Amino acid sequence: DTAVSQTPKYLVTQMGNDKSIKCEQNLGHDTMYWYKQDSKKFLKIMFSYNNKELIINETVPNRFSPKSPDKAHLNLHINSLELGDSAVYFCASSLIGGATGELFFGEGSRLTVL
Amino acid sequence: EDKVVQSPLSLVVHEGDTVTLNCSYEVTNFRSLLWYKQEKKAPTFLFMLTSSGIEKKSGRLSSILDKKELFSILNITATQTGDSAIYLCAVRGQGAQKLVFGQGTRLTINP
């Protein structure tokens, strides 16, 4: 069983389109995250939810909107895609707000904007 | 703002060599430092360090933290080609819910 699963794994789309990436974790964790990894492999946090409540919202364009229907799911919707949005997006989860444990990552969703 | 700097950015060695990867950090109210290994896909957890001077060890990998000098090292002895990966260092500070990552060290082990 995959602990943190993301879909789709690959996404190729045109500029201006809207797309979504879904994430689910079956670890019973209470906190989920979206990280963006650029071409230089730099992992940068975008959002974090704890028990469906947004707790971290880094400086991210408001074209990016996360949604957490329950604590096992965190989806990312991106409006009006731009070339600079091309990256690998990683979903992750942790327990007890992440204060004591490591993050478990999904396998990533590679987004290419043409 | 919390910051993590890793060095070197890239390292190429021969199988059997020993390597040391460095991670220095600036963080408000340090809580922990974590090392991850990223091969093709998801970063996988290696170590979490919270106390100075206590070595964490797993097989040929070991890591130690110096909270006074604000750095950590990851050692890999008797390297194998399967150790080729990007090694990521991350710190957790006052905003305990997030990890701040360094830019990673790309390690290549040649046979």
Side-chain angles (χ1 to χ4, degrees):
Chain A
D1 265 353
T2 304
V4 182
S5 58
Q6 301 178 223
T7 54
K9 290 187 169 35
Y10 299 94
L11 195 51
V12 180
T13 189
Q14 301 286 332
M15 271 176 58
N17 284 349
D18 303 338
K19 290 293 176 186
S20 292
I21 307 172
K22 295 185 176 182
C23 179
E24 176 182 4
Q25 55 94 6
N26 62 6
L27 296 167
H29 288 167
D30 59 2
T31 305
M32 296 184 73
Y33 311 79
W34 278 111
Y35 276 82
K36 179 180 180 180
Q37 188 172 47
D38 60 24
S39 56
K40 295 184 179 178
K41 301 295 183 184
F42 204 176
L43 262 175
K44 189 164 183 182
I45 191 165
M46 300 172 69
F47 302 103
S48 176
Y49 272 74
N50 177 257
N51 283 321
K52 303 193 297 174
E53 183 183 340
L54 180 66
I55 54 172
I56 294 173
N57 184 352
E58 294 291 294
T59 309
V60 177
N62 57 16
R63 298 181 295 104
F64 290 79
S65 52
K67 281 196 173 45
S68 182
D70 56 62
K71 69 177 188 177
H73 296 84
L74 179 62
N75 303 323
L76 182 65
H77 187 76
I78 316 171
N79 289 327
S80 304
L81 279 156
E82 300 178 359
L83 293 176
D85 298 332
S86 295
V88 181
Y89 292 85
F90 283 97
C91 177
S93 71
S94 67
L95 192 59
I96 317 174
T100 57
E102 73 268 22
L103 269 60
F104 291 78
F105 284 88
E107 293 199 332
S109 297
R110 182 177 293 275
L111 171 65
T112 303
V113 182
L114 303 174
Chain B
E1 188 177 330
D2 298 345
K3 188 177 174 184
V4 178
V5 177
Q6 292 184 244
S7 64
L9 293 180
S10 180
L11 186 57
V12 181
V13 300
H14 289 292
E15 208 168 15
D17 288 351
T18 292
V19 297
T20 298
L21 310 183
N22 304 296
C23 175
S24 64
Y25 62 89
E26 296 172 20
V27 65
T28 304
N29 291 340
F30 173 89
R31 303 240 183 156
S32 57
L33 183 145
L34 289 80
W35 285 96
Y36 281 82
K37 177 182 181 182
Q38 186 176 21
E39 296 177 83
K40 292 183 181 175
K41 294 183 178 177
T44 53
F45 174 75
L46 294 175
F47 299 111
M48 183 168 72
L49 302 145
T50 56
S51 301
S52 243
I54 297 175
E55 186 183 52
K56 291 277 181 95
K57 198 169 170 64
S58 175
R60 296 175 295 102
L61 277 67
S62 64
S63 182
I64 198 159
L65 174 67
D66 186 329
K67 287 167 75 174
K68 185 179 174 186
E69 300 298 329
L70 307 181
F71 79 90
S72 174
I73 59 172
L74 176 68
N75 277 323
I76 310 175
T77 59
T79 52
Q80 302 170 359
T81 54
D83 295 328
S84 294
I86 295 172
Y87 289 84
L88 298 164
C89 174
V91 294
R92 178 177 283 125
Q94 186 172 20
Q97 288 81 11
K98 73 175 182 181
L99 286 181
V100 176
F101 282 84
Q103 70 273 57
T105 293
R106 183 182 292 274
L107 177 63
T108 303
I109 311 296
N110 288 329

